[in-house]
Amino acid sequence: MYCLLLKTRLRPGSLDAFMDAMRVNAAASVRDEPGCLVFDVLQDRSDPDLVWLYEVYTDEAAFEAHMRTPHFLASRPLVDPLILEQDCIEADSLALNPTR
Amino acid sequence: MYCLLLKTRLRPGSLDAFMDAMRVNAAASVRDEPGCLVFDVLQDRSDPDLVWLYEVYTDEAAFEAHMRTPHFLASRPLVDPLILEQDCIEADSLALNPTR
């Protein structure tokens, strides 16, 4: 599976606005896209303005499809202005163990 | 939820041995520990000797319990010698969206 870890530094004080938009995008991605298996959002304990996105797709084509979805496109104008910096870590799954 | 991202640099060429032990530990953690919700292992595409562990626990007490389990303790002598360096990122979940 194709995995992404997005180390995302936000404009100070913009977490709530960021999450208002990202929560909708993340939930819709997993709910509406067969190729999106996980979309988790975490707040780094070392820095309240540092957020990690953890996304798992069946393959890269599924991720490209994700970027054409209405919910992804609708989130961009809301979240892009709030992001100061974003490091994109691409990875492949070696072992996935969810329970939920 | 209490989340961990462990950026783990392995001794070159030790991925297979590492995964032989870590696959068992990761699966047992989610299967046998009510407080362990996710234990995923990823290989960074930028560096084959760089592995990320993504772990989600109900709380820190569940993580501490994890470190006392037989499967965790059994994995240590197998994986510790293979790890050159490990950065521990502690985080709190803001949104968790799994489908599996």
Side-chain angles (χ1 to χ4, degrees):
Chain A
M1 312 258 185
Y2 177 67
C3 306
L4 286 170
L5 277 169
L6 299 175
K7 182 179 179 181
T8 307
R9 180 164 305 287
L10 297 179
R11 238 172 248 295
S14 65
L15 179 66
D16 289 346
F18 178 83
M19 284 310 296
D20 285 348
M22 189 52 72
R23 196 171 274 117
V24 172
N25 175 43
S29 301
V30 167
R31 185 190 60 229
D32 301 342
E33 299 173 43
C36 180
L37 303 182
V38 177
F39 198 133
D40 290 356
V41 186
L42 318 175
Q43 181 179 30
D44 196 304
R45 285 194 169 186
S46 71
D47 179 346
D49 296 321
L50 184 55
V51 170
W52 293 80
L53 309 184
Y54 171 54
E55 304 173 39
V56 177
Y57 297 89
T58 46
D59 51 31
E60 285 174 75
F63 174 60
E64 275 139 32
H66 165 69
M67 291 191 288
R68 295 192 297 268
T69 60
H71 48 267
F72 174 83
L73 295 169
S75 72
R76 297 325 307 173
L78 302 172
V79 297
D80 285 350
L82 308 179
I83 296 172
L84 292 178
E85 193 186 335
Q86 190 169 61
D87 296 343
C88 174
I89 296 153
E90 292 183 280
D92 295 288
S93 57
L94 297 173
L96 297 181
N97 294 285
T99 31
R100 290 161 196 126
Chain B
M1 311 265 186
Y2 178 68
C3 306
L4 287 170
L5 278 169
L6 300 176
K7 182 180 180 179
T8 307
R9 180 163 306 285
L10 298 179
R11 239 174 247 294
S14 66
L15 179 66
D16 289 346
F18 178 84
M19 284 310 296
D20 285 348
M22 188 52 72
R23 198 171 272 117
V24 172
N25 176 44
S29 299
V30 167
R31 185 190 60 230
D32 301 344
E33 299 173 42
C36 180
L37 302 182
V38 177
F39 198 132
D40 290 356
V41 186
L42 316 176
Q43 181 178 30
D44 197 303
R45 284 194 170 186
S46 71
D47 178 347
D49 295 321
L50 184 55
V51 171
W52 294 79
L53 309 184
Y54 171 54
E55 304 173 37
V56 176
Y57 297 89
T58 46
D59 51 31
E60 285 173 76
F63 174 60
E64 273 137 34
H66 166 69
M67 291 191 288
R68 296 190 297 268
T69 60
H71 48 268
F72 174 84
L73 295 170
S75 72
R76 297 326 305 172
L78 302 172
V79 298
D80 286 350
L82 308 179
I83 296 173
L84 292 179
E85 191 185 339
Q86 190 168 60
D87 295 343
C88 175
I89 296 154
E90 292 183 279
D92 295 288
S93 57
L94 297 174
L96 297 180
N97 294 286
T99 32
R100 285 156 198 130

